[in-house]
Amino acid sequence: MLGFRRLSFAYQNLVEIPYSTILQYQDTLEVLDLSYNLLEEYPLEGCPAVLGELEKLTTLILDCNNYTSHVKFPYMPSITTVWINKNRIKNLPIFVEELRRKFPNIRFLSMMNNEAAPSYFNGGTLTQYLDYRQYVISQLPRLEVLDDKEVLKEERDEAKRTYKIQERRDTYRKKRELNKGNMTSS
């Protein structure tokens, strides 16, 4: 049976992902477009293992839905591209950790027009935008493009330095708190 390499359910006002239809093409499907629907994390959680069966899927397009920072994806090492622009993602560390754990080979990520991705277009400052980029780049080591901009070597190096310093501060703070706790319990 010949199958589709690309399947689009865009602009369908879907509230659930049509898993049964998608699975008909699991042996050939590379790009799944679910953009401009009414999807939120709970239907995705309801059957995440099904998406995990799409072993050839490299691109997942979820633009303009209602996903939040707490969306749960299945483990999908074949995914290299995620577009999740214009959703309701507010907590960057929670969301990026989910991407890092579930899509270990992600190279292209676009999450513009989410509160967690500050830019000039949604009221963010240049400083907020640069910090957002550095944080995401530091957490997703294979990332080549973030939003509409290539990740440069200098930018990656700066992200590693910035967030390595942050890790040291956090470690120092935890040790200090432990020492205080030990001193008060003696």
Side-chain angles (χ1 to χ4, degrees):
M1 179 172 110
L2 291 176
F4 292 114
R5 290 179 55 212
R6 179 183 172 94
L7 194 56
S8 177
F9 291 97
Y11 298 96
Q12 301 294 314
N13 290 321
L14 298 175
V15 293
E16 290 184 359
I17 296 174
Y19 293 110
S20 59
T21 304
I22 291 168
L23 282 180
Q24 293 176 28
Y25 307 103
Q26 77 182 53
D27 295 333
T28 58
L29 193 60
E30 296 174 10
V31 178
L32 178 59
D33 185 351
L34 296 165
S35 57
Y36 292 90
N37 282 296
L38 305 170
L39 301 172
E40 49 192 53
E41 58 263 17
Y42 301 108
L44 189 57
E45 280 181 30
C47 206
V50 173
L51 284 181
E53 292 177 29
L54 302 173
E55 294 179 3
K56 293 190 185 295
L57 192 69
T58 61
T59 302
L60 186 57
I61 305 169
L62 301 169
D63 294 343
C64 299
N65 279 290
N66 294 311
Y67 291 113
T68 70
S69 309
H70 300 283
V71 62
K72 300 294 181 213
F73 296 104
Y75 181 72
M76 298 179 73
S78 62
I79 293 287
T80 59
T81 304
V82 175
W83 294 349
I84 193 160
N85 301 297
K86 201 173 182 183
N87 276 271
R88 298 181 312 159
I89 300 164
K90 296 180 181 180
N91 188 314
L92 188 62
I94 288 174
F95 182 71
V96 170
E97 176 65 14
E98 180 69 8
L99 294 179
R100 188 185 66 73
R101 290 183 331 106
K102 303 298 178 64
F103 306 134
N105 296 306
I106 190 168
R107 295 188 346 243
F108 305 94
L109 172 63
S110 187
M111 52 182 291
M112 294 186 285
N113 217 351
N114 280 290
E115 190 175 318
S119 73
Y120 173 79
F121 299 106
N122 65 4
T125 66
L126 179 60
T127 302
Q128 290 171 324
Y129 169 73
L130 294 174
D131 188 54
Y132 150 74
R133 282 188 63 84
Q134 283 187 352
Y135 180 77
V136 174
I137 292 166
S138 75
Q139 301 303 303
L140 302 174
R142 291 191 167 107
L143 206 60
E144 295 175 18
V145 175
L146 176 57
D147 298 330
D148 60 346
K149 189 175 176 208
E150 183 179 355
V151 175
L152 303 174
K153 181 187 179 323
E154 300 81 28
E155 192 175 22
R156 187 175 309 286
D157 292 344
E158 180 66 24
K160 285 179 185 175
R161 279 193 301 274
T162 299
Y163 283 94
K164 186 174 185 179
I165 291 169
Q166 182 64 41
E167 286 174 13
R168 285 187 199 147
R169 286 182 190 151
D170 290 346
T171 302
Y172 175 75
R173 187 177 302 124
K174 286 177 185 174
K175 284 181 182 177
R176 204 171 65 205
E177 289 171 4
L178 281 174
N179 287 337
K180 282 181 184 179
N182 289 338
M183 294 173 86
T184 57
S185 62
S186 306

